[in-house]
Amino acid sequence: MVISPHLKKKQRIIVLSLLILLVVTCIISICLGKASLPLQRIIPTLLGYGSFKENFILYSLRLPRITITLLAGIALSLSGSILQAITHNDLADPGIMGINAGAGVGVSIFYLSFSINITNFIYVLPLIAFISSLGTAALIYLFAYDKLTGLHPIRLVLTGVGFSLALSGTMVFIFSSVDPFQVDFIAKWMSGNIWGSDWPYVLAILPGLLFLIPYTIFKSNILNILSLNNHVATGVGLKLKSERLKLLITAVALASLAVAVTGGISFIGLMAPHIAKRLLGPRHQLNLPVTMLIGSWLLVLADTIARNINVLLPTGIVVSLIGAPYFMYLLLRK
């Protein structure tokens, strides 16, 4: 079906507005912090005329962290968009459905079991997170699937929540049985305290995102069809199980790359796709770019707030304070 010029124009306006909002938020994030960088010194520092202190603040502290939050916000929002399409459920999110918790358990066991150099751990972490997340997603899918009725959306969400609670209990058991010093890193990771805030962490997740983001956009039309009734999807010749499986693996991979460097952050994958659909409708060709921009902006905003309030809070807690009421609103509506 042809997209109307009016919708295309509306999308361009929304994308431009979000880009401006994102740039402004990034500039504010650069300026604020315990080590502040004045607004009027940002451009000279970018052009190579900054002092040693200004260069250190911009290139070693602010820009890598902002880049990480931008990329992670895109990954989490795309993951949520895919999950919502393949499950026909606006409440689907990698955090709510237990995928993030599955990654946390896998990373915890690996980190506590092997003595490894943290530099090498950076590049291993996304793979470990993906393997454990994929196993969790497979179990959730298996328990939520019914031979007669197929995949029931509410059952899927409830199963995911159940797995999330069970895996959180597993984490508590793991914490209680090891040295508290070893637990410190994992505890920060699970609370969404963005620990990957240097350029090597960007390089650890960037190759995967450079493949997965275009692949998801390429599958926009498939996501449109999967959002419809299963009979309609089958009627147009779509291999339903095959496409669902490929996109589920894509969603898990996107979430794993994000949480590998940002920790257990929920609700970005819930809010960003839903807001984008409210603005532009259900067509993924239109709403996926907006979804990515909203996701990245939400995470940059949350991280900026978390870094600059008097009480030190992990970014994941700030996101949850925003996302939990929105989740309850959606739950009541649906």
Side-chain angles (χ1 to χ4, degrees):
M1 190 179 291
V2 179
I3 299 173
S4 69
H6 169 72
L7 272 177
K8 289 181 179 179
K9 182 180 178 181
K10 185 179 180 181
Q11 185 209 35
R12 286 195 292 268
I13 293 171
I14 292 172
V15 166
L16 180 60
S17 302
L18 286 170
L19 280 172
I20 293 170
L21 182 62
L22 183 59
V23 169
V24 170
T25 306
C26 288
I27 291 171
I28 293 171
S29 185
I30 289 171
C31 293
L32 297 180
K34 291 182 180 179
S36 60
L37 181 65
L39 178 63
Q40 65 272 20
R41 294 300 303 163
I42 293 177
I43 294 179
T45 305
L46 285 171
L47 295 176
Y49 299 106
S51 65
F52 174 81
K53 179 183 176 183
E54 290 168 341
N55 283 322
F56 179 77
I57 292 171
L58 183 63
Y59 291 108
S60 298
L61 297 179
R62 298 289 190 269
L63 282 183
R65 189 178 182 100
I66 289 172
T67 305
I68 282 290
T69 52
L70 283 171
L71 294 175
I74 290 171
L76 290 170
S77 59
L78 282 181
S79 179
S81 186
I82 293 170
L83 290 172
Q84 289 174 19
I86 65 177
T87 63
H88 305 163
N89 193 339
D90 285 343
L91 304 179
D93 166 84
I96 295 169
M97 292 179 62
I99 293 173
N100 292 359
V105 171
V107 168
S108 301
I109 294 172
F110 181 82
Y111 180 74
L112 297 172
S113 300
F114 300 95
S115 298
I116 56 175
N117 186 286
I118 191 64
T119 305
N120 297 327
F121 187 55
I122 295 169
Y123 300 100
V124 176
L125 189 58
L127 178 61
I128 300 301
F130 172 69
I131 293 170
S132 51
S133 296
L134 188 60
T136 303
L139 287 172
I140 292 170
Y141 191 94
L142 181 65
F143 277 87
Y145 189 82
D146 185 90
K147 290 182 180 179
L148 297 176
T149 59
L151 193 66
H152 195 279
I154 298 299
R155 183 185 296 150
L156 186 70
V157 172
L158 292 176
T159 304
V161 171
F163 265 82
S164 182
L165 293 171
L167 291 167
S168 297
T170 304
M171 292 294 295
V172 173
F173 174 76
I174 293 171
F175 287 177
S176 64
S177 60
V178 297
D179 181 16
F181 179 78
Q182 290 179 293
V183 170
D184 184 59
F185 167 75
I186 301 298
K188 290 179 179 178
W189 190 92
M190 287 301 294
S191 63
N193 188 4
I194 296 174
W195 68 279
S197 55
D198 207 349
W199 293 114
Y201 301 93
V202 176
L203 296 176
I205 67 170
L206 189 58
L209 292 178
L210 287 176
F211 169 75
L212 292 169
I213 292 171
Y215 178 78
T216 305
I217 295 172
F218 175 73
K219 289 287 185 177
S220 294
N221 196 46
I222 300 296
L223 288 169
N224 291 338
I225 297 171
L226 288 173
S227 300
L228 302 174
N229 186 283
N230 287 348
H231 298 295
V232 175
T234 307
V236 297
L238 189 69
K239 295 179 180 178
L240 199 59
K241 290 184 179 180
S242 173
E243 291 294 342
R244 266 186 176 162
L245 180 61
K246 287 188 285 188
L247 286 165
L248 177 62
I249 293 171
T250 303
V252 170
L254 284 164
S256 301
L257 288 172
V259 301
V261 291
T262 62
I265 292 179
S266 300
F267 295 114
I268 294 292
L270 171 74
M271 293 186 291
H274 193 265
I275 294 170
K277 282 184 278 189
R278 291 289 297 270
L279 290 171
L280 286 167
R283 293 186 186 180
H284 289 82
Q285 291 95 330
L286 289 172
N287 65 46
L288 280 182
V290 175
T291 296
M292 290 188 286
L293 287 171
I294 293 173
S296 56
W297 175 72
L298 283 171
L299 197 52
V300 171
L301 176 66
D303 186 53
T304 304
I305 294 170
R307 286 193 297 104
N308 290 283
I309 57 178
N310 292 328
V311 181
L312 291 177
L313 281 178
T315 303
I317 302 297
V318 177
V319 174
S320 296
L321 290 173
I322 300 170
Y326 194 78
F327 175 73
M328 294 302 297
Y329 161 73
L330 287 180
L331 191 63
L332 291 172
R333 281 189 72 245
K334 297 295 179 180

